[in-house]
Amino acid sequence: MVKFSIIIPVYNLENYLYRCLESVLNQAYNDFEIILINDGSDDNSLNIIEEFKNQYSSKIKVISQVNQGVSSARNKGLQEAEGEYIIFIDGDDYIDSNHLSNILEYIGKSKNSFILNILFVETGETTWVIPKASKNYDCSFYGTLMNILDNHRYQGFLFNKIFSNSVMN
């Protein structure tokens, strides 16, 4: 079992995939798998995915499906995930080379099932940070997770959250 499964849904992201995948593959911590779900792309995304798969076959799993939307793609990735922890990244995002190392260090301090990670967002020339960094929560049931998301206003996006695979499946 790998430590992290990184699930990346892809739909028509040929202009962003190289940067995204290179950022994931250049991690200082190396115990992870990448699950790419091509969600019916009609641009060059699938060719880029296959190029990376050919070069990093031991790290990358590729799933193709007719376009069903990002939620379906993520769920398909979850079905294939073998990692102890699940990380969702969008195909037009990228991560710092120490991203997984930093998460692993924080996980080592606690065995909870949900971690909120710091988030940097670039929009044009601006970079901003959501300042709710590295919180650990025990989410052994659905209500606790919803309470965290609703009451603490941590937004509904997934790319700044890490989940234990045992909670997700």
Side-chain angles (χ1 to χ4, degrees):
M1 174 185 277
V2 294
K3 184 59 96 174
F4 297 105
S5 290
I6 301 171
I7 298 173
I8 305 174
V10 176
Y11 178 73
N12 291 346
L13 295 172
E14 67 183 5
N15 295 329
Y16 306 98
L17 271 177
Y18 282 106
R19 184 175 189 182
C20 174
L21 293 174
E22 287 172 354
S23 76
V24 175
L25 288 162
N26 288 321
Q27 291 299 297
Y29 182 78
N30 204 22
D31 190 16
F32 64 87
E33 66 177 353
I34 301 171
I35 303 170
L36 292 159
I37 304 91
N38 178 45
D39 191 35
S41 296
D42 55 16
D43 66 355
N44 198 36
S45 294
L46 183 56
N47 291 332
I48 295 168
I49 289 169
E50 291 297 336
E51 179 183 326
F52 276 89
K53 169 68 174 161
N54 290 338
Q55 190 172 358
Y56 301 97
S57 60
S58 64
K59 283 270 184 224
I60 296 177
K61 295 179 185 178
V62 177
I63 301 165
S64 287
Q65 64 181 29
V66 296
N67 182 257
Q68 298 177 45
V70 68
S71 295
S72 172
R74 287 181 180 135
N75 287 335
K76 184 64 105 173
L78 275 174
Q79 292 171 1
E80 298 295 321
E82 296 178 13
E84 184 178 350
Y85 291 93
I86 305 293
I87 298 173
F88 295 99
I89 298 177
D90 291 335
D92 57 353
D93 295 336
Y94 61 94
I95 57 177
D96 180 78
S97 63
N98 291 313
H99 187 70
L100 295 181
S101 298
N102 293 337
I103 292 169
L104 187 63
E105 180 180 338
Y106 199 75
I107 288 171
K109 297 175 184 175
S110 175
K111 295 297 183 195
N112 290 337
S113 5
F114 171 79
I115 296 170
L116 180 71
N117 194 25
I118 196 163
L119 171 66
F120 296 88
V121 178
E122 291 183 20
T123 56
E125 297 177 11
T126 305
T127 300
W128 52 279
V129 178
I130 295 178
K132 305 288 188 191
S134 296
K135 301 278 184 180
N136 239 314
Y137 297 97
D138 181 1
C139 294
S140 53
F141 61 95
Y142 179 78
T144 303
L145 177 59
M146 293 313 299
N147 184 43
I148 291 165
L149 296 176
D150 289 342
N151 294 333
H152 296 285
R153 306 207 186 280
Y154 291 134
Q155 304 295 327
F157 39 72
L158 292 172
F159 53 83
N160 73 327
K161 296 167 185 73
I162 296 90
F163 300 91
S164 170
N165 196 348
S166 63
V167 169
M168 300 299 287
N169 285 313

